[in-house]
Amino acid sequence: MNTPSLLVLAGDGIGPEVMAEVKRIITWFGDKRDLAFDVSDDLVGGAAYDAHGTPLHDDTMAKAQEVDAVLLGAVGGPAYDDLDFSLKPERGLLRLRKEMDLFANLRPAQCFDALADFSSLKKDIVSGLDIMIVRELTSGSYFGEPRGIFVENGERVGINTQRYTESEIDRVARSAFELARRRNNKVCSMEKANVMESGVLWREVVTAVHAADYPDVELSHMYADNGAMQLVRNPKQFDVIVTDNLFGDILSDCAAMLTGSLGMLPSASLGAPMENGRPKAMYEPVHGSAPDITGQSKANPSACILSFAMALRYSFDQGDEAARLENAVQSVLAKGIRTADLMQADGGKAVSTSEMGDAILAELDASL
Ligand code: NAD
């Protein structure tokens, strides 16, 4: 098989800082595990706007469609706050998601034992937590028409439309069931079928997909408001949660924070399989460009590194190598090596971004 290709879009703020560490990890896998990648770089967000006057150049978009996977750092920053909506850095990200049709957003919420104290919840509730939220990413309230602010009877009305087709629900449900089979074989589907027709359809389609093709997976349904409550009451009851774009936006942030720090949270956005069988895919940390710490070597590269681990698992079928990388991050934390975002008030000295990279590479070496 050809060398797999990666397009690296480091973006703005701490994006390039954390991505520099990911690139060292990628090189390590090429050198030490015979797992080489053909890596190319390009611009996105404010960096692309500065160079081309657009947050994503058409050539970059075309490259993203051709590669096996895209790795993205972060976009945005105060310098771009006053730009027209269509030119804002985030539009680059949205264009990638939309044109690659990345309909399934995977957000793991995993609590590394060494970080259980960072959760706002009690340690025994989160320690050992390992759940995955699958959020539908390309439809629902954020895209449905009609949308806009209109004038009716002399006053303004703001309108967004929650709209889902059967096929949109079907494909994201399949992603969730497939994932569950590779994990603990349980899916909980969340909607508001009690008050929303789109929720009624969601529940019907998920149930039908399950009955037809995934009867071996345990399926349950929950109203999304109860889901939010259960996530903070007893999150370990879940394995995979599948939900729509709007509820998923909120529930995945809630689940993520169970684990403590933005600097630790990876994500994957997957679309339909390409000709070579790999899904269209983009991997990125959940955090933004962190302008408050940009250029200070304080950023935690773990979220971006763990996003690459997701790429190994979901794009390149290298689950064992993904686990090797995740274990390396876990071992570093267990040794008390931390970036500033993970220091307790009374903690010791924080390491820099590249020192965190050094420590993870040392653990990878030790794993051989
Ligand atoms: P943010 O995630 O950039 O930062 C929030 C807080 O978390 C900050 O205090 C920051 O220092 C800290 N933080 C974030 N990542 C960290 C890391 N890896 N290591 C250590 N600390 C980290 O969110 P924000 O401040 O609301 O947004 C800043 C900019 O990023 C805005 O322009 C926003 O639009 C953009 N943004 C982009 C994305 C993305 O690219 N996917 C996501 C969210 C926000």
Side-chain angles (χ1 to χ4, degrees):
M1 213 166 182
N2 293 340
T3 308
S5 54
L6 285 172
L7 175 62
V8 171
L9 302 174
D12 308 321
I14 62 166
E17 298 173 34
V18 294
M19 198 57 89
E21 301 312 310
V22 177
K23 285 190 156 176
R24 296 170 68 200
I25 305 272
I26 295 173
T27 303
W28 186 90
F29 276 96
D31 292 347
K32 303 282 174 71
R33 302 300 300 156
D34 202 16
L35 199 57
F37 292 92
D38 179 2
V39 180
S40 56
D41 290 273
D42 212 328
L43 304 172
V44 67
Y49 176 80
D50 290 341
H52 307 300
T54 165
L56 189 75
H57 195 279
D58 289 344
D59 293 348
T60 316
M61 186 65 242
K63 264 192 240 169
Q65 297 283 22
E66 278 163 20
V67 292
D68 290 313
V70 176
L71 292 184
L72 189 130
V75 297
Y80 310 103
D81 282 351
D82 296 330
L83 286 179
D84 182 75
F85 194 62
S86 64
L87 296 174
K88 280 195 188 292
E90 289 75 9
R91 300 307 294 179
L93 195 54
L94 291 178
R95 181 173 176 202
L96 283 160
R97 287 178 183 161
K98 188 165 194 302
E99 295 193 18
M100 292 170 75
D101 201 12
L102 304 174
F103 58 83
N105 183 221
L106 277 50
R107 297 256 307 250
Q110 198 176 5
C111 186
F112 292 99
D113 281 346
L115 298 182
D117 284 333
F118 278 86
S119 175
S120 50
L121 297 189
K122 292 194 195 84
K123 194 170 177 172
D124 61 314
I125 292 184
V126 292
S127 130
L129 178 76
D130 180 7
I131 62 180
M132 177 76 82
I133 304 228
V134 180
R135 163 190 171 192
E136 199 292 324
L137 201 60
T138 51
S139 186
S141 316
Y142 296 164
F143 294 94
E145 298 283 347
R147 61 181 298 167
I149 299 175
F150 305 96
V151 177
E152 262 178 39
N153 301 325
E155 65 173 341
R156 293 188 301 158
V157 235
I159 297 180
N160 291 92
T161 301
Q162 167 81 336
R163 180 181 190 277
Y164 271 103
T165 63
E166 288 179 298
S167 55
E168 286 167 344
I169 303 167
D170 183 293
R171 63 186 187 173
V172 75
R174 282 179 197 281
S175 299
F177 288 125
E178 293 288 342
L179 258 175
R181 278 184 175 160
R182 293 159 83 160
R183 297 171 45 93
N184 293 318
N185 222 30
K186 285 200 313 190
V187 169
C188 180
S189 170
M190 295 187 184
E191 26 57 17
K192 292 277 291 172
N194 49 342
V195 286
M196 297 170 76
E197 285 74 10
S198 57
V200 173
L201 185 69
W202 182 281
R203 192 175 283 220
E204 280 178 18
V205 173
V206 171
T207 305
V209 170
H210 175 251
D213 292 323
Y214 300 94
D216 53 303
V217 180
E218 188 183 323
L219 170 67
S220 59
H221 302 274
M222 203 177 265
Y223 297 138
D225 49 342
N226 183 28
M229 203 161 69
Q230 295 300 329
L231 269 175
V232 288
R233 195 184 69 86
N234 176 20
K236 283 191 249 178
Q237 69 185 284
F238 299 113
D239 177 26
V240 174
I241 293 172
V242 62
T243 189
D244 73 17
N245 202 344
L246 173 61
F247 296 139
D249 193 2
I250 297 161
L251 293 171
S252 61
D253 266 19
C254 170
M257 272 299 103
L258 300 174
T259 69
S261 168
L262 261 178
M264 294 302 303
L265 297 168
S267 81
S269 301
L270 306 181
M274 300 184 282
E275 260 174 32
N276 61 13
R278 292 182 175 128
K280 286 254 175 196
M282 181 157 77
Y283 299 88
E284 57 184 310
V286 168
H287 63 73
S289 57
D292 54 333
I293 57 165
T294 296
Q296 300 172 34
S297 303
K298 281 187 184 167
N300 183 352
S302 303
C304 207
I305 288 170
L306 292 170
S307 301
F308 175 62
M310 290 186 85
L312 288 172
R313 180 171 286 120
Y314 297 116
S315 281
F316 304 114
D317 230 358
Q318 296 284 344
D320 289 348
E321 298 303 328
R324 180 191 298 278
L325 182 50
E326 288 158 354
N327 290 339
V329 174
Q330 178 138 16
S331 303
V332 167
L333 296 171
K335 288 183 174 164
I337 301 171
R338 310 276 164 92
T339 40
D341 55 312
L342 300 177
M343 299 305 290
Q344 305 278 25
D346 56 352
K349 187 178 171 300
V351 299
S352 69
T353 307
S354 62
E355 285 166 340
M356 191 70 182
D358 293 342
I360 294 169
L361 284 165
E363 287 300 328
L364 283 174
D365 279 336
S367 75
L368 294 176

